Amino acid sequence: MTKIYWTDIQAARLKTLGFDAAVLAQGFHTPAQRNRAFQAIEKNQIKALRKELSERLTCRRPTRAFQLAQDLDGLLRDNAFAKVSTPTITTKTALAKMGIDDTHPLNEQIFWINHTQCLRPMLAPGLYSLMKDFSRLDFRPVRFYEIGYCFRKESDGACHSNEFTMLNLVEMGTPESERLERLKELACMVAHTAGIADIRFEEETSAVYGTTLDLVAGPFGLELGSGAMGPHPLDAAWAITDTWVGMGFGMERLLMASVNDTTMGQWAKSLYYLDGIPLRI
Ligand code: ATP
Ligand code: MG
């Protein structure tokens, strides 16, 4: 006897309620049997999720996202990185110094506020500006980092969000011969703190940096972060002559990889989820 499956609407609802592929693939003999099963499953799941959400709201623990940010603050503080905060609004001039002009592929992804200002697509312009100022100091290495919101117009939804949170760390004055190892060491420390074990490094071509050393995770090679090092061709525009290593990580991607998720929706800034728990219940 051929089986029938969930209707598209039922399947979408079950997905929203967090059911996995096994439940979604379930087959039935008759529509009545299927619809009864749907009602029962939906009712039970809503009850369980409301309980989970109530506990979540009253447990006085930070969400995973806030906890991760705290853990990374601790890691970086222990490793002598200073926390900085630069403006979310950046300028056309600063982007041009990153090589992003009107013809650059990333230009299409910029949220412009007016002719000269936009929401930053990355933390690098702000951090480059700080590097220039810190380079006047007489000690090395100079270590600092920012965790801040970035904005890009994206079309691929599974692992991209129009607004996301980047952790970008920078170390200036790393001896030239030690840069690659240091970059890998820092990336491993971040992944370890996020609870991600299945990682590897890949060299990637980047529209901004030419080549990057990417930290990727899991069987599908999810990019968690991209690292670069200097001296770099972009340094001249910022009058930087120091050696440096730097890496930008997506905080939502770190969360996603830490729970082996294949989509980022639950971990992005959202009106639909709180700490991974669906809210349309
Ligand atoms: P991808 O190739 O995955 O689009 P990217 O190479 O363009 O990423 P980078 O500029 O290297 O991204 O940014 C550093 C990190 O920020 C990425 O490794 C990723 O973890 C995260 N990131 C970038 N864009 C997004 C986005 N739209 N949503 C969520 N995280 C993002
Ligand atoms: Mg990248």
Side-chain angles (χ1 to χ4, degrees), residues 109 111 120-121 149-165 250 252-253 256 263-271:
Q109 292 184 260
F111 285 101
R120 62 183 176 193
Y149 300 136
C150 292
F151 305 83
R152 294 182 193 176
K153 293 180 188 170
E154 302 277 8
S155 44
D156 160 30
C159 301
H160 291 88
S161 177
N162 284 346
E163 39 187 308
F164 60 101
T165 319
E252 295 81 4
R253 298 246 183 119
M256 178 184 164
T263 54
M264 212 183 67
Q266 274 168 280
W267 309 107
K269 280 144 85 60
S270 169
L271 297 175

Side-chain angles (χ1 to χ4, degrees), residues 78-180:
D78 291 349
N79 283 277
F81 281 79
K83 188 168 189 174
V84 301
S85 185
T86 66
T88 310
I89 295 174
T90 190
T91 61
K92 199 177 173 83
T93 315
L95 287 192
K97 285 167 85 173
M98 295 298 304
I100 304 169
D101 58 15
D102 291 343
T103 61
H104 192 276
L106 198 58
N107 188 53
E108 299 292 311
Q109 292 184 260
I110 307 292
F111 285 101
W112 291 101
I113 300 172
N114 55 42
H115 286 308
T116 57
Q117 292 178 302
C118 62
L119 299 175
R120 62 183 176 193
M122 53 181 63
L123 303 180
L127 300 184
Y128 249 128
S129 175
L130 295 188
M131 272 170 87
K132 168 67 190 153
D133 292 329
F134 295 163
S135 70
R136 287 189 285 269
L137 303 176
D138 61 3
F139 75 96
R140 297 290 184 275
V142 176
R143 302 187 177 106
F144 60 102
Y145 74 102
E146 176 164 9
I147 298 179
Y149 300 136
C150 292
F151 305 83
R152 294 182 193 176
K153 293 180 188 170
E154 302 277 8
S155 44
D156 160 30
C159 301
H160 291 88
S161 177
N162 284 346
E163 39 187 308
F164 60 101
T165 319
M166 185 108 76
L167 157 65
N168 204 143
L169 54 81
V170 182
E171 181 175 271
M172 295 166 64
T174 318
E176 195 150 349
S177 60
E178 295 171 19
R179 289 171 307 161
L180 186 61

Side-chain angles (χ1 to χ4, degrees), residues 7-82:
T7 66
D8 290 347
I9 292 173
Q10 286 171 338
R13 178 70 177 147
L14 293 174
K15 228 172 160 178
T16 307
L17 292 176
F19 284 104
D20 60 16
V23 174
L24 291 171
Q26 215 169 310
F28 302 90
H29 297 303
T30 66
Q33 184 199 23
R34 174 192 65 195
N35 296 345
R36 270 199 309 277
F38 175 79
Q39 279 173 359
I41 286 181
E42 189 194 32
K43 191 167 162 225
N44 283 339
Q45 183 73 344
I46 285 175
K47 197 171 161 204
L49 288 173
R50 283 187 186 172
K51 185 162 176 276
E52 201 182 331
L53 182 59
S54 303
E55 283 168 4
R56 175 66 270 178
L57 287 170
T58 52
C59 71
R60 303 184 190 200
R61 268 187 292 108
T63 59
R64 281 195 183 91
F66 287 123
Q67 186 65 56
L68 176 61
Q70 274 182 27
D71 293 347
L72 290 169
D73 280 337
L75 169 80
L76 292 167
R77 194 177 49 237
D78 291 349
N79 283 277
F81 281 79

